[in-house]
Amino acid sequence: MSKPNLALVGATGAVGTVMISIINARENIWGEIRLIASARSAGKEIVVHGKPHTVVALSDEAFDGIDIAMFDVPDEVSEVWAPIAAAKGVVCVDNSAAFRMNPEVPLVVPEVNPFAAKSRPLGIIANPNCTTLTMMAALGALHSKWTLTELVVSSYQAVSGAGAPGIDQLAAEIAAVGGHSEAGLKSNNVSEILSAAGLKQSDSPWAVPIAMNVIPVAGGLKEGGHTSEELKVRNESRKILGIKDLKVAATCVRVPVQVSHSLAVHATFAKDITADEVRAELEKQPTVVVMDDPANGVFPTPAFVAGQDPTFVGRIRQAEDFPNTIDLFVVGDNLRKGAALNTYEIAELVAQELA
Amino acid sequence: MSKPNLALVGATGAVGTVMISIINARENIWGEIRLIASARSAGKEIVVHGKPHTVVALSDEAFDGIDIAMFDVPDEVSEVWAPIAAAKGVVCVDNSAAFRMNPEVPLVVPEVNPFAAKSRPLGIIANPNCTTLTMMAALGALHSKWTLTELVVSSYQAVSGAGAPGIDQLAAEIAAVGGHSEAGLKSNNVSEILSAAGLKQSDSPWAVPIAMNVIPVAGGLKEGGHTSEELKVRNESRKILGIKDLKVAATCVRVPVQVSHSLAVHATFAKDITADEVRAELEKQPTVVVMDDPANGVFPTPAFVAGQDPTFVGRIRQAEDFPNTIDLFVVGDNLRKGAALNTYEIAELVAQELA
């Protein structure tokens, strides 16, 4: 076939914007590239590979002639529109939670389970949640060698995981507390400072301040007191790694960081494993960067990782009290590998297959 | 005996300042209260229980007539001066790391092991590290009922854990990024913004920015790639709870929060345990506050907890994949319960004993 035609649904959102920068940075393997968004954004012009592209409104016809469509839209939009596009023969790569746990939809991380992308009875491939994705490249590599059995994970998640409103809220709060005298700041009454600056908590995506605070709830509340985000970490890790009985406990926490999710991971394996072996194995992975010399200030942080494609891993050490267990700290850009980049890499996989 | 005489060594430091507010807020059970600091701070006047007290320089004579001395000074100062005071018959309550793991020095949390304070062959009682202390009141209560066996902990530690320089650094960085346009902020180049604002990384307690970032290293680097802070969490938890073979894995992370440490705790017990039982048991504890209705926005955060005495616990839930295991989120003011308050409570215990 000739070059496949690509559509991007949700071209003007936080992830969509990053997606366009990724499309522009990669080789242009596409015939047409079509930008789709809500009617509100239709008509907007965005430059892709040097040429202005006019955003078109989401509709049945918007998928005419398209081979592969990437969806970066809310769950309920994907739920309706991915099946419509798929019915027209479009391979849909969806970055919402709508289809991730559907047994007829593969959940794909190209480094870990590229083969899964080929079996897509509904014509839909799901992209994992950004928190899960942050650790998959590293854990997939370790699992294939040592067989992962247990995972205890605590997250340090950036506000951009809550989209543009999250980014705006942190920026507004930091501006408000930053405008304060140091003495005022030191009183630590973040709520009072924000309210004095005219910020209303009810305008925030969160119930409490995020500046100079951490919020131990990410996602909606679900059964057992877990959040949707915590259940995604468990269920999606199991599906991607193909370990049905993987034991997972996750605590997802929002931190006042703009971009990049960090995870403290406590991972137990079926086989003997050492920190040195882990370091050597991760250094072999093309999409993983090991930054692990903490005595000399070498460790990954979200501010450093933001804007970069690889997964960064540091603080690799043996949890001596636990057999076959490694503790490590993983950081990844939640808008790139955690969302847009992985979605695009899946689209590239499909393009190769269609070629 | 008449009312005991109390000394506070390190009266002008970050913890010392909080200590004085605690002394002022509690019943005055003391004869004399003597404020001791370095020669540099000697002569300064500080009001205690309504009366000005002149700070005296640390010296042998400064301990004359004192019954109980609280030390909030660096390890090396305690190491020298606590034995000198103890040799004069002063009971020393030390908040440094100098004596914590000494088998002849009890490590005391009044809610957990008050009895240990009575056996002090060196005349020294140690106060635990603030990170460990944050979870001890809650875990001590659970351990006495269900027998703790394993602990996986990730921390979200406030900058004030690094003392006044930590507080100043975060305030300066927040002021610098807060002075920026929202667009500049969104670029997430925290390092560039700080450097443009004239801040030098070499003036910071940390090797990288702390504003809008998290730093996965707290404390110095020790054997096995663990930090001193992580080893303290393990070794001090074992000593306080009296569980020699407690399995502990800790990852200690600094977050851009001024006051209050938070911990994501994954705790395994020897006996059957449910989240409801944990909630009921913690609600009975006089120094623990359960804030656990996340669906309605009720959960502890450091900005809320700062300045308060109790330990706050939320996100209590069963880790269904792990037998007898509970996940919870604990937050405590690292300058109060995590340092000054617990030290003072130990001094009160000793005062009762001497009475």
Side-chain angles (χ1 to χ4, degrees), chain A residues 185 226 230 315 320-321, chain B residues 226 230 234 258 315 320:
Chain A
L185 259 184
H226 306 285
E230 289 157 358
R315 297 301 321 280
E320 285 89 355
D321 295 347
Chain B
H226 307 285
E230 290 157 357
R234 179 171 74 163
Q258 216 147 14
R315 298 299 324 278
E320 285 89 356

Side-chain angles (χ1 to χ4, degrees), chain A residues 154-156 168 185-186 188 212-213 216 225-226 230 234 238 248 250-251 256 258 302-303 306 315 317 320-321, chain B residues 154-156 168 185-186 188 212-213 216 225-226 230 234 238 248 250-251 256 258 302-303 306 315 317 320-321:
Chain A
S154 301
S155 76
Y156 303 71
D168 292 343
L185 259 184
K186 285 178 196 168
N188 203 50
M212 305 185 90
N213 206 10
H226 306 285
E230 289 157 358
R234 181 171 70 164
R238 288 176 169 186
V248 182
T251 298
Q258 215 145 14
R315 297 301 321 280
R317 61 212 193 277
E320 285 89 355
D321 295 347
Chain B
S154 301
S155 76
Y156 303 72
D168 292 343
L185 259 185
K186 285 177 196 169
N188 203 51
M212 305 185 88
N213 206 10
H226 307 285
E230 290 157 357
R234 179 171 74 163
R238 288 176 167 186
V248 183
T251 299
Q258 216 147 14
R315 298 299 324 278
R317 60 210 193 277
E320 285 89 356
D321 295 347

Side-chain angles (χ1 to χ4, degrees), chain A residues 69-151:
Chain A
M70 304 185 294
F71 286 75
D72 277 312
V73 293
D75 295 3
E76 56 277 16
V77 179
S78 282
E79 216 155 345
V80 171
W81 288 96
I84 291 173
K88 303 183 80 161
V90 178
V91 179
C92 298
V93 186
D94 181 40
N95 187 30
S96 84
F99 301 99
R100 284 179 193 146
M101 296 316 295
N102 185 324
E104 295 190 289
V105 174
L107 185 64
V108 175
V109 179
E111 295 97 319
V112 181
N113 61 345
F115 49 85
K118 290 186 184 165
S119 166
R120 42 176 193 262
L122 302 185
I124 301 171
I125 301 168
N127 189 61
N129 165 269
C130 50
T131 312
T132 311
L133 252 178
T134 302
M135 61 183 175
M136 280 300 109
L139 289 182
L142 301 182
H143 171 57
S144 70
K145 199 144 180 190
W146 289 283
T147 311
L148 187 64
T149 58
E150 298 182 12
L151 217 45

Side-chain angles (χ1 to χ4, degrees), chain B residues 294-319:
Chain B
N296 291 305
V298 178
F299 47 79
T301 69
F304 172 78
V305 167
Q308 300 192 64
D309 286 347
T311 299
F312 291 76
V313 186
R315 298 299 324 278
I316 300 165
R317 60 210 193 277
Q318 257 157 304

Side-chain angles (χ1 to χ4, degrees), chain B residues 100-101 105-109 113 116 125-128 235-236 239-240:
Chain B
R100 286 180 191 146
M101 296 316 297
V105 173
L107 186 64
V108 175
V109 180
N113 61 345
I125 301 168
N127 189 61
N235 298 334
E236 296 184 16
K239 183 167 178 176
I240 296 162

Side-chain angles (χ1 to χ4, degrees), chain B residues 271-355:
Chain B
K271 302 175 192 164
D272 274 355
I273 187 167
T274 69
D276 285 340
E277 290 169 332
V278 166
R279 228 171 268 120
E281 189 62 25
L282 291 179
E283 274 165 356
K284 281 187 216 158
Q285 307 306 315
T287 63
V288 174
V289 175
V290 174
M291 284 185 82
D292 195 19
D293 184 8
N296 291 305
V298 178
F299 47 79
T301 69
F304 172 78
V305 167
Q308 300 192 64
D309 286 347
T311 299
F312 291 76
V313 186
R315 298 299 324 278
I316 300 165
R317 60 210 193 277
Q318 257 157 304
E320 285 89 356
D321 295 347
F322 298 81
N324 306 340
T325 301
I326 296 291
D327 284 314
L328 44 80
F329 196 76
V330 193
V331 188
D333 183 320
N334 57 306
L335 300 180
R336 295 181 75 87
K337 184 62 187 178
L341 178 63
N342 198 73
T343 304
Y344 187 78
E345 287 169 343
I346 297 171
E348 284 182 331
L349 261 187
V350 176
Q352 280 166 23
E353 179 200 322
L354 297 182

Side-chain angles (χ1 to χ4, degrees), chain A residues 9-297:
Chain A
V9 186
T12 57
V15 173
T17 305
V18 173
M19 182 65 88
I20 288 167
S21 78
I22 289 170
I23 293 174
N24 282 331
R26 310 278 276 214
E27 191 193 342
N28 189 356
I29 60 168
W30 310 105
E32 185 189 346
I33 293 176
R34 196 175 299 165
L35 306 182
I36 304 177
S38 64
R40 195 164 34 85
S41 296
K44 205 176 156 186
E45 289 221 327
I46 297 176
V47 174
V48 184
H49 283 302
K51 286 180 203 143
H53 284 60
T54 304
V55 175
V56 301
L58 180 58
S59 73
D60 203 313
E61 298 72 44
F63 296 100
D64 286 346
I66 292 297
D67 299 294
I68 302 171
M70 304 185 294
F71 286 75
D72 277 312
V73 293
D75 295 3
E76 56 277 16
V77 179
S78 282
E79 216 155 345
V80 171
W81 288 96
I84 291 173
K88 303 183 80 161
V90 178
V91 179
C92 298
V93 186
D94 181 40
N95 187 30
S96 84
F99 301 99
R100 284 179 193 146
M101 296 316 295
N102 185 324
E104 295 190 289
V105 174
L107 185 64
V108 175
V109 179
E111 295 97 319
V112 181
N113 61 345
F115 49 85
K118 290 186 184 165
S119 166
R120 42 176 193 262
L122 302 185
I124 301 171
I125 301 168
N127 189 61
N129 165 269
C130 50
T131 312
T132 311
L133 252 178
T134 302
M135 61 183 175
M136 280 300 109
L139 289 182
L142 301 182
H143 171 57
S144 70
K145 199 144 180 190
W146 289 283
T147 311
L148 187 64
T149 58
E150 298 182 12
L151 217 45
V152 181
V153 176
S154 301
S155 76
Y156 303 71
Q157 295 181 226
V159 296
S160 51
I167 298 178
D168 292 343
Q169 182 67 27
L170 177 62
E173 291 190 17
I174 292 272
V177 294
H180 244 74
S181 70
E182 292 204 8
L185 259 184
K186 285 178 196 168
S187 75
N188 203 50
N189 289 315
V190 181
S191 283
E192 284 173 28
I193 294 173
L194 297 184
S195 136
L199 294 182
K200 285 184 205 145
Q201 199 62 57
S202 55
D203 293 337
S204 168
W206 298 288
V208 296
I210 180 67
M212 305 185 90
N213 206 10
V214 306
I215 301 179
V217 178
L221 263 294
K222 301 289 174 185
E223 66 272 25
H226 306 285
T227 67
S228 53
E229 195 82 359
E230 289 157 358
L231 294 178
K232 285 173 191 173
V233 169
R234 181 171 70 164
N235 299 334
E236 296 183 16
S237 293
R238 288 176 169 186
K239 184 168 177 175
I240 297 162
L241 297 169
I243 318 172
K244 278 195 184 136
D245 57 351
L246 180 66
K247 296 179 173 185
V248 182
T251 298
C252 289
V253 179
R254 195 72 68 180
V255 294
V257 162
Q258 215 145 14
V259 174
S260 293
H261 288 353
S262 307
L263 302 174
V265 177
H266 176 82
T268 302
F269 298 85
K271 302 176 192 162
D272 275 355
I273 187 168
T274 70
D276 285 339
E277 290 169 332
V278 167
R279 226 170 270 119
E281 188 61 25
L282 292 179
E283 273 164 359
K284 281 187 218 157
Q285 307 306 315
T287 64
V288 174
V289 175
V290 174
M291 284 185 81
D292 195 21
D293 184 9
N296 291 306

